[in-house]
């Protein structure tokens, strides 16, 4: 007991936890984030201030939180990835010091850092993130700022479910102080339209630095899909396939997946967002895998549909070919200047004609029964990334990244021949839009059914892994 007390007191009196070594060297630079703040500032109206909060922490179970995920907007604009923070961006320089941005961060605390990890603190935010004016979060309440003098206060929607807490430096205290300073009540809360308009217009166009990370996260996701194509068998479970993806993502340095992995066999592949992944055997069915890594904040979104036994049946092949043809038709119009809605209309037309030819539907309008989602979404810091959408007149721009993901899903008891039941196929690729063409970032993973069958014949490293029975 004496030894425990000594160690505990030692932790409380010891200087802060040492800096971590052997970190990745390909994070976005502080110059990148500074450039994004300048770009944001350029789009702000005169005499305005933007207020960007961190995301709240969320409880996983009792006193354990989920792994923290930074607010993508705050990360984009600052590089800061910790909770309990707020960033102020001013259109014009403020005060006698002529500062145009202020960052409030989570205070360093040796005892807490021993339990929950290192914190940047004020000095770390200055040296590593490049900010000049940084304070601890508890200083926000006393910070002299008169929001009423600004013509526009720009901020995102404030969560209403953050637990009340007496700590002066946590997110609840920051929200409470901001609302008080800005005179915001639930009744008069300002529209967040301008904040979303600015962040969407910036994040929809990927910079060269972002494209480096996007290419990497998509490439390592393709490697994972390819390895599963070689390793999978009828006796494998959905969860085991999920695990192969996760292992390969981690092997290449990805922090996580960009969304809950979807690994559905047979009927489960007809559920668009199937996240249980708990079937103990895939059997001789199609396996739909919608899995993408998140690497340094940037998400891939790749889907492949494969036969568990390595060979498509004639019915599976017929449905798969329609989806492939739809994707190929969409690729032909992928370039800057194409109306965004044209991607889905093109896919829908090909799928409708294909299903009519197979006798699955007779009216093109019924295509929605088996293709119920749209073909594309923006991709980047979020799997469904921010982007500007103004209805049918929205045009694709150069250096946008969009998914192209047509699909057909025919659940049991559908009004067609039983031979088509429980066939779910989606093929999804991540497409960089260029001025006159496109780049398929996920081209490393095969899409043609012939190429998938050929890859399935190869042996995987995972086939030789032996574990004790339990």
């Amino acid at each position: 007991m004496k030894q425990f007390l000594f160690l505990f007191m030692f932790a409380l009196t010891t200087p802060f936890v040492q800096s971590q070594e052997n970190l990745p060297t390909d994070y976005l630079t502080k110059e990148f984030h500074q450039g994004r703040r300048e770009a944001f500032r350029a789009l702000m109206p005169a005499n305005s201030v933007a207020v960007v909060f961190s995301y709240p922490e969320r409880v996983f179970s009792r006193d354990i939180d989920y792994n923290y995920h930074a607010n993508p907007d705050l990360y984009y604009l600052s590089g800061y990835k910790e909770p309990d923070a707020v960033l102020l961006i001013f259109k014009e320089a403020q005060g006698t010091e002529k500062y145009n941005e202020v960052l409030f961060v989570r205070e360093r605390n040796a005892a807490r850092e021993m339990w929950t990890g290192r914190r940047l603190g004020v000095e770390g935010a200055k040296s590593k993130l490049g900010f000049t004016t940084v304070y601890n979060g508890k200083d926000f309440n006393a910070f002299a700022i008169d929001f009423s003098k600004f013509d526009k206060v720009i901020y995102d929607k404030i969560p209403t479910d953050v637990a009340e807490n007496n700590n002066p430096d946590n997110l609840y205290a920051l929200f409470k102080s901001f609302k008080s300073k800005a005179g915001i009540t639930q009744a008069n809360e300002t529209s967040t339209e301008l904040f979303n308009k600015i962040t969407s217009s910036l994040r929809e166009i990927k910079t060269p630095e972002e494209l480096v990370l996007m290419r990497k996260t998509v490439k390592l996701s393709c490697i994972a899909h390819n390895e599963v194509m070689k390793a999978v068998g009828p006796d494998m479970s959905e969860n085991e396939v999920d695990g192969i993806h996760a292992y390969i993502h981690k092997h290449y340095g990805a922090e996580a997946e960009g969304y809950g992995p979807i690994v559905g066999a047979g009927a489960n592949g007809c559920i668009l967002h199937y996240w249980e992944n708990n079937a103990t055997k895939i059997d001789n069915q199609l396996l739909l895998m919608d899995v993408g890594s998140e690497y340094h904040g940037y998400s891939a979104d790749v889907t492949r549909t494969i036969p568990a036994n390595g060979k498509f049946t004639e019915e599976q092949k017929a449905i798969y070919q329609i989806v492939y043809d739809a994707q190929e038709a969409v690729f032909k119009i992928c370039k800057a200047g194409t109306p965004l809605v044209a991607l889905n209309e093109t896919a829908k037309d090909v799928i409708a004609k294909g299903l009519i030819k197979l006798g699955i539907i007779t009216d093109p309008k019924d295509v929605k029964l088996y293709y119920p989602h749209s073909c594309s979404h923006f991709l980047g810091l979020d799997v469904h990334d921010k982007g500007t959408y103004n209805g049918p007149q929205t045009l694709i721009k150069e250096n946008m990244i969009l998914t192209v993901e047509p699909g057909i899903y025919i659940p049991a008891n559908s009004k067609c021949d039983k031979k088509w039941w429980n066939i779910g196929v989606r093929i999804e690729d991540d497409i960089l839009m260029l001025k006159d063409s496109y780049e398929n970032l996920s081209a490393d993973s095969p899409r043609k059914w012939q190429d998938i069958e050929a890859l399935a014949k190869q042996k995987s490293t995972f086939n030789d892994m032996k574990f004790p029975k339990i």
Side-chain angles (χ1 to χ4, degrees), residues 116-330:
T116 58
R118 300 169 179 85
R119 302 179 179 185
L120 274 181
V122 170
E123 295 307 316
K126 289 179 178 180
S127 62
K128 295 185 178 181
L129 303 183
F131 283 89
T132 301
T133 308
V134 186
Y135 300 100
N136 288 315
K138 66 181 182 182
D139 299 322
F140 181 65
N141 191 49
F143 183 69
I145 180 171
D146 181 5
F147 284 106
S148 67
K149 79 173 188 177
F150 295 98
D151 293 334
K152 191 72 176 178
V153 179
I154 307 166
Y155 59 94
D156 201 0
K157 185 174 179 62
I158 299 174
T160 58
D161 62 342
V162 176
E164 184 173 351
N165 194 295
N166 292 325
N167 291 339
D169 60 349
N170 69 0
L171 193 60
Y172 179 83
L174 294 176
F175 285 158
K176 182 179 179 181
S177 180
F178 169 62
K179 288 180 177 181
S180 176
K181 287 172 179 287
I184 296 171
T185 65
Q186 188 172 356
N188 71 356
E189 186 171 342
T190 307
S191 169
T192 59
E193 182 179 350
L194 182 55
F195 180 85
N196 287 321
K197 181 179 180 180
I198 294 175
T199 52
S200 294
S201 66
L202 293 176
R203 284 174 52 181
E204 71 180 1
I205 306 298
K206 302 302 183 282
T207 67
E209 298 94 330
E210 290 178 287
L211 289 177
V212 171
L213 296 182
M214 283 301 304
R215 286 192 172 93
K216 185 158 187 175
T217 191
V218 175
K219 185 176 183 65
L220 66 91
S221 298
C222 289
I223 293 172
H225 277 276
N226 293 355
E227 198 62 36
V228 171
M229 290 180 194
K230 293 185 287 184
V232 72
D235 291 332
M236 192 174 283
S237 70
E238 292 174 343
N239 200 35
E240 192 175 356
V241 170
D242 187 344
I244 293 175
H245 281 279
Y247 177 84
I248 293 175
H249 295 167
K250 297 283 188 180
H251 175 77
Y252 288 102
E255 289 83 359
E257 283 67 55
Y259 51 97
I262 299 166
V263 180
N268 296 335
C270 296
I271 302 171
L272 301 185
H273 286 172
Y274 169 77
W275 287 331
E276 289 90 341
N277 302 344
N278 59 2
T280 58
K281 288 182 67 175
I282 299 171
D283 285 331
N284 294 310
Q285 302 180 97
L286 282 182
L287 179 67
L288 189 155
M289 306 178 294
D290 188 337
V291 190
S293 81
E294 183 182 291
Y295 187 86
H296 297 354
Y298 287 82
S299 179
D301 192 4
V302 180
T303 305
R304 293 293 183 264
T305 306
I306 63 175
N309 62 6
K311 193 168 182 63
F312 290 90
T313 67
E314 291 304 311
E315 289 77 20
Q316 293 169 351
K317 191 186 302 179
I319 298 298
Y320 189 95
Q321 189 63 47
I322 295 173
V323 177
Y324 177 86
D325 290 342
Q327 200 184 35
E328 286 290 300
V330 174

Side-chain angles (χ1 to χ4, degrees), residues 322 349-367 370:
I322 295 173
D349 181 62
V350 174
I351 291 173
K353 290 177 179 176
L355 292 178
I356 289 172
K357 187 175 181 179
L358 293 180
I360 295 173
I361 62 174
T362 57
D363 188 334
K365 293 180 180 178
D366 288 337
V367 67
Y370 304 112

Side-chain angles (χ1 to χ4, degrees), residues 55-69 82-84 106 112 115-117 119 161-163 165 167 170-171:
Y55 273 174
E57 296 177 285
R58 296 297 186 190
V59 175
F60 172 75
S61 177
R62 195 170 178 236
D63 57 349
I64 303 298
D65 290 336
Y66 282 98
N67 286 341
Y68 185 69
H69 192 281
E82 299 175 28
D84 302 329
R106 181 179 254 192
R112 296 306 303 164
W115 284 92
T116 58
R119 302 179 179 185
D161 62 342
V162 176
N165 194 295
N167 291 339
N170 69 0
L171 193 60

